[in-house]
Amino acid sequence: YFSMVLQALVDHKGRFTNINVGWPGKVHDARVFRNSGLFRRLQEGIYFPDQKITVGDVEIPIVILGDPAYPLMPWLMKPYTGALDSDKELFNYRLSKCRMVVECAFGRLKGRWRSLLTRSDL
């Protein structure tokens, strides 16, 4: 039996907005991402064309939150690695809290489609 990578983009409300599936499980997440249509659209500025949100008086660009496997890009935030000072640890903690929306979305997906929890004999 072989594993398969499922890469998904989830919005702040826990809705799946982009899915890429089909790469063999042994392929690194960053490679799958760099070869996806989502990556190309983000690089070209098509996916979030000049969209910003305003928090207080500050305009903030829309970004994707990723784990350490993904490349740091202007539109992708990922946690700091290595030796961290308290500011970087706090950033990582808050980023992790924000990424919980993704974990919950996948939990709901697996709860609704229980067949995803077992192997497929096809």
Side-chain angles (χ1 to χ4, degrees):
Y1 295 98
F2 301 95
S3 63
M4 189 180 304
V5 175
L6 181 140
Q7 175 185 273
L9 182 63
V10 176
D11 70 7
H12 64 287
K13 293 182 179 179
R15 299 176 297 196
F16 289 88
T17 61
N18 187 283
I19 293 175
N20 183 355
V21 65
W23 284 78
K26 66 181 180 179
V27 178
H28 193 274
D29 291 346
R31 182 173 178 205
V32 173
F33 182 57
R34 282 196 184 271
N35 288 286
S36 69
L38 173 64
F39 184 85
R40 285 189 292 280
R41 288 192 301 276
L42 288 163
Q43 281 289 83
E44 295 168 3
I46 297 170
Y47 205 85
F48 300 125
D50 298 324
Q51 292 181 349
K52 297 183 189 250
I53 59 170
T54 303
V55 178
D57 296 334
V58 179
E59 274 195 345
I60 302 171
I62 295 175
V63 295
I64 293 174
L65 308 181
D67 66 23
Y70 290 93
L72 183 61
M73 305 297 283
W75 37 261
L76 192 146
M77 293 174 72
K78 63 184 244 177
Y80 287 102
T81 57
L84 306 178
D85 60 23
S86 59
D87 289 338
K88 290 179 181 176
E89 284 182 8
L90 180 60
F91 172 85
N92 283 358
Y93 171 74
R94 290 182 176 161
L95 185 70
S96 176
K97 282 178 58 175
C98 294
R99 290 183 54 229
M100 286 303 298
V101 174
V102 177
E103 300 298 328
C104 292
F106 272 99
R108 286 191 307 277
L109 178 73
K110 291 186 278 187
R112 174 63 179 92
W113 301 100
R114 304 294 293 171
S115 62
L116 294 174
L117 299 174
T118 60
R119 71 177 188 225
S120 175
D121 291 329
L122 299 175

